[in-house]
Amino acid sequence: MRLTRLWLLSLALAAALVTSPASGQDLEPRFLSPAPVGMNFGVLAYGYSSGNVLLDQSLPLEGVTARIHGVTAAYVRSLGIFGRSAQVAVALPTAHATWSGRVAGVDSSTTRVGLGDPLVSLSMNLYGAPALEPADYASYRPRTLVGVTVKMRVPVGQYDDSKFFNLGSNRWSFSPRLGVARYIGKFTLEGYGAAWFFTTNSNFFGGSRVSQSPIYALQAHASYTHRPGLWAAVSIGQSLGGSLVVDGVDNEQSQRNNRVGVTAAIPISGRHSVKLAYTSGFSTRAGADFDTVVAAWQVRW
């Protein structure tokens, strides 16, 4: 019975690491950059992630890997709140994900294709970025910015309680984030702290209850802007926490991931641009050790 429970905990951990929002895997430079009030952005992004899911070596579950092809459509609207620059965003992800591994020495794999959990977010600059109309924004030069973001993952993605691995999480997730950015000539230095909080999944595999402790993340970014719209950034981040409790049994294994990344934005025309990003883990004690490549097209109006 104890071994069965540990198997369940391990597989639950693998599923949660791969499908949970962010999980400290994302590195997002320039999230505080303001935009003129009334500006709209449409984004279509393709991402590919692959790597290992590191589990307790004493368990009869080996070589757990995942490959995820994802396409995300997003809409962003810039607005003013209490005279401060703000943005609201909605993102709808779809994915083709394959998990592979050996259970008690037997090779096994499973694939899911469908809708993930949508993400809704609200960002607001608290200091240094007033809400500006396009005519005034053209002459605006930021110096120091302080801002917050609140994200919410809505549990409507593909989910089947008869399966361990799913694209949806069947639980609500919330993330507050506080960041600071300093503009020095063409360079921008940023740092922020964030956390993810999760509600309980009361209908995990076979009707089990799964809860998860918060995941905490710290990130730092340095970017260089060659000209408006053309910039590149290097990033580093660390996340920890996120241990799971299944039916009252704590697996006592927290995630701990350190990641590095590079990002580049390239304008194509006055309204169109592309963004390329690559992130990789350089130290992972437990959790998802993924390499991720993202290519995104953006149009503004």
Side-chain angles (χ1 to χ4, degrees):
M1 179 64 70
R2 177 172 176 78
L3 181 59
T4 300
R5 184 62 62 86
L6 285 174
W7 280 30
L8 179 62
L9 284 166
S10 300
L11 288 172
L13 176 61
L17 289 173
V18 174
T19 61
S20 63
S23 300
Q25 295 286 328
D26 64 328
L27 293 173
E28 186 181 356
R30 299 172 65 94
F31 90 94
L32 290 174
S33 297
V37 172
M39 186 68 69
N40 300 284
F41 300 89
V43 181
L44 185 64
Y46 166 77
Y48 174 72
S49 296
S50 65
N52 303 313
V53 180
L54 305 181
L55 303 172
D56 190 334
Q57 294 181 356
S58 67
L59 299 171
L61 187 67
E62 303 175 289
V64 178
T65 63
R67 300 187 306 276
I68 304 172
H69 298 268
V71 175
T72 299
Y75 169 74
V76 183
R77 169 80 174 182
S78 178
L79 62 156
I81 299 178
F82 302 120
R84 313 307 305 174
S85 173
Q87 293 182 348
V88 61
V90 179
L92 184 64
T94 59
H96 179 288
T98 300
W99 295 267
S100 302
R102 293 183 299 276
V103 180
V106 179
D107 290 335
S108 62
S109 65
T110 187
T111 299
R112 302 283 181 267
V113 180
L115 179 68
D117 291 336
L119 180 69
V120 180
S121 67
L122 174 65
S123 302
M124 179 178 177
N125 281 290
L126 304 177
Y127 174 82
L132 297 174
E133 298 297 328
D136 299 320
Y137 182 82
S139 60
Y140 169 70
R141 297 293 181 269
R143 297 190 63 183
T144 300
L145 305 180
V146 179
V148 295
T149 299
V150 177
K151 296 182 177 182
M152 178 177 66
R153 187 73 70 166
V154 183
V156 297
Q158 184 186 106
Y159 188 83
D160 185 344
D161 67 339
S162 68
K163 304 181 185 301
F164 279 115
F165 298 103
N166 286 282
L167 298 177
S169 60
N170 196 41
R171 62 180 182 179
W172 294 83
S173 307
F174 306 90
S175 176
R177 174 170 55 175
L178 175 65
V180 178
R182 175 66 176 177
Y183 290 75
I184 306 172
K186 292 188 174 184
F187 291 91
T188 305
L189 305 178
E190 300 172 275
Y192 73 76
W196 277 99
F197 300 93
F198 311 96
T199 61
T200 297
N201 180 353
S202 299
N203 197 27
F204 184 66
F205 182 79
S208 295
R209 290 174 57 87
V210 175
S211 59
Q212 186 172 17
S213 63
I215 296 175
Y216 301 99
L218 294 173
Q219 294 188 12
H221 311 272
S223 61
Y224 176 82
T225 301
H226 180 69
R227 58 183 173 85
L230 179 60
W231 56 269
V234 294
S235 307
I236 186 171
Q238 181 181 61
S239 64
L240 68 162
S243 63
L244 293 174
V245 177
V246 178
D247 292 335
V249 179
D250 194 334
N251 75 335
E252 298 181 353
Q253 187 177 35
S254 296
Q255 302 178 44
R256 181 165 296 175
N257 300 290
N258 295 282
R259 298 187 64 76
V260 294
V262 293
T263 306
I266 305 168
I268 302 301
S269 67
R271 295 184 177 274
H272 300 267
S273 64
V274 297
K275 183 185 290 186
L276 305 173
Y278 171 77
T279 63
S280 179
F282 67 88
S283 175
T284 302
R285 190 193 72 176
D289 185 14
F290 285 173
D291 292 332
T292 299
V293 178
V294 176
W297 167 77
Q298 175 181 284
V299 59
R300 60 183 177 88
W301 68 94

